Amino acid sequence: MSAWCGFSSTPLVINLDQAIREKSSDTENQQARKWLDQAYKELNKTAENLLPITELIDELQIQLRRAIPKIINANNPEKEPNYNPGMNILIGGNRLGRGVTIDGLMVTYYGRDAKQKVMDTVHQHARMYGYSSQLKDVTRLFLPKHILDAFRSIHEADEAMRQAIGDDIHNIKLQPVWIGGNLKPTRSNVLDPSVIDVLVPGSLVFPQSPAYKKDEIEDHFKEIENLLINYQDNNQYYEVDIEFIIKILNYTKSHYVLSEKWEDKRIIKGLTDIKSKGMTKGRLNVRRGERNNNQGLDMTRKYPF
């Protein structure tokens, strides 16, 4: 079993080792048992046929004595981790993050972050799990939500790209690159920064954080009202030119949310590309003031979609 950490775990290992061997105070011993009980219950959600916790603690007493954390960095001459029998705890950054697959990795504490995330670099970090599908039920990953969102965004973009490309490699008419927020394409110096990520046909895309405060929208509020003055039926889906929809969106504003598809310039670029392919019409629905139990505007999906 291996664990990869982005910080020093030595004090925790020592304290836990002493506590489960009852070499600490009664309070610390009870706290350690409480942690292990919680971990056992959580592990039991995905793993079947677990040994009784008392047997696991007996084994843990033996394993923790051998689990000496290893620092994997530029000062370490070993290109690959040198494993000890039983449990291994590896601590490192770049050396572990790129080009190393950790055998039998079960637990990862991932705290590395960057202001500007380059997609292939972040994606490569996922190689830390290798192909250990047989360990999936006991694998755990601990990381901040915003980093999880970045991993999810890259995965969804990659899967959507594969779906959009299809099986015919001789008929590819896409430029699928993720742009937006803190995610940066691998070769941005040779790419148009307005090229969009794959938007799968039939999927719904909404701004997750539209601007609504007065100081954010008052400059363009009158322009939007004038554009939409003739669209008064809340339940009507009007057929309009895509250029008109683009004009409306140019007066709106939303805040980018990491991992979400909607980004103002991306959607406008997508509509512009659709228009250039000959699809010139879209549907417009305008709602004013109706709320559905504080859940937002009441809207029923219309068919055909």
Side-chain angles (χ1 to χ4, degrees):
M1 180 182 75
S2 298
W4 175 27
C5 303
F7 52 87
S8 176
S9 60
T10 305
L12 176 61
V13 173
I14 293 174
N15 293 339
L16 183 60
D17 171 55
Q18 293 176 344
I20 62 175
R21 290 188 297 112
E22 298 184 350
K23 300 296 184 180
S24 300
S25 66
D26 290 341
T27 300
E28 291 173 328
N29 296 343
Q30 293 172 6
Q31 181 63 58
R33 182 56 189 255
K34 180 180 179 181
W35 285 342
L36 293 173
D37 284 338
Q38 292 173 343
Y40 185 82
K41 291 177 181 178
E42 201 281 328
L43 189 63
N44 203 35
K45 295 177 182 178
T46 57
E48 298 180 354
N49 302 319
L50 289 177
L51 293 174
I53 188 172
T54 52
E55 294 185 28
L56 292 178
I57 291 177
D58 290 341
E59 179 65 22
L60 189 61
Q61 291 180 4
I62 300 173
Q63 294 294 338
L64 280 180
R65 304 309 302 269
R66 304 172 180 172
I68 302 174
K70 296 183 179 180
I71 307 298
I72 309 297
N73 57 22
N75 297 324
N76 191 322
E78 300 174 353
K79 293 184 178 180
E80 297 288 335
N82 184 19
Y83 302 107
N84 292 329
M87 182 185 298
N88 288 266
I89 299 175
L90 309 178
I91 303 171
N94 289 337
R95 288 284 299 276
L96 286 179
R98 302 191 66 174
V100 175
T101 298
I102 302 172
D103 296 335
L105 180 64
M106 296 171 61
V107 180
T108 298
Y109 290 89
Y110 187 98
R112 302 189 65 203
D113 198 8
K115 292 182 179 179
Q116 188 69 65
K117 299 178 179 66
V118 179
M119 284 188 63
D120 69 327
T121 302
V122 178
H123 211 173
Q124 196 172 26
H125 289 178
R127 293 182 67 249
M128 58 195 172
Y129 287 111
Y131 302 94
S132 304
S133 57
Q134 70 273 18
L135 296 177
K136 186 176 180 180
D137 59 341
V138 291
T139 297
R140 294 296 186 271
L141 172 63
F142 300 91
L143 75 174
K145 183 179 183 303
H146 70 281
I147 299 179
L148 174 63
D149 289 339
F151 273 114
R152 182 182 290 116
S153 296
I154 294 173
H155 170 72
E156 291 177 352
D158 187 63
E159 290 299 310
M161 179 181 67
R162 295 174 188 273
Q163 179 181 344
I165 290 175
D167 298 326
D168 186 359
I169 63 173
H170 302 293
N171 187 29
I172 299 175
K173 300 178 181 178
L174 301 172
Q175 291 177 294
V177 177
W178 180 281
I179 298 289
N182 291 327
L183 290 175
K184 183 179 180 183
T186 304
R187 301 182 66 204
S188 57
N189 59 316
V190 297
L191 293 170
D192 176 358
S194 62
V195 174
I196 64 170
D197 166 48
V198 172
L199 299 175
V200 180
S203 61
L204 300 176
V205 185
F206 294 102
Q208 297 298 313
S209 181
Y212 65 91
K213 296 180 180 179
K214 183 178 180 180
D215 60 344
E216 294 178 312
I217 67 172
E218 62 180 347
D219 291 343
H220 293 151
F221 181 77
K222 290 184 179 179
E223 285 83 353
I224 294 176
E225 282 290 286
N226 290 334
L227 285 173
L228 301 179
I229 191 66
N230 294 322
Y231 303 93
Q232 295 293 330
D233 189 340
N234 288 341
N235 297 310
Q236 180 66 36
Y237 282 68
Y238 299 91
E239 186 174 276
V240 298
D241 291 338
I242 283 183
E243 190 60 41
F244 183 64
I245 297 177
I246 293 174
K247 188 174 182 179
I248 295 171
L249 291 177
N250 276 317
Y251 283 121
T252 66
K253 177 183 178 182
S254 65
H255 306 290
Y256 178 72
V257 177
L258 185 65
S259 81
E260 296 296 338
K261 295 287 188 180
W262 185 285
E263 187 176 28
D264 295 343
K265 68 176 182 179
R266 177 185 296 148
I267 300 303
I268 291 173
K269 180 63 167 61
L271 291 173
T272 302
D273 288 347
I274 287 175
K275 181 183 176 183
S276 70
K277 300 299 182 181
M279 186 182 295
T280 61
K281 298 293 183 180
R283 291 181 179 178
L284 174 67
N285 175 262
V286 181
R287 299 272 166 147
R288 291 180 176 85
E290 292 188 2
R291 295 190 175 277
N292 179 20
N293 296 325
N294 296 321
Q295 298 299 312
L297 296 177
D298 182 20
M299 181 178 291
T300 303
R301 177 183 292 188
K302 301 295 183 179
Y303 291 92
F305 182 54

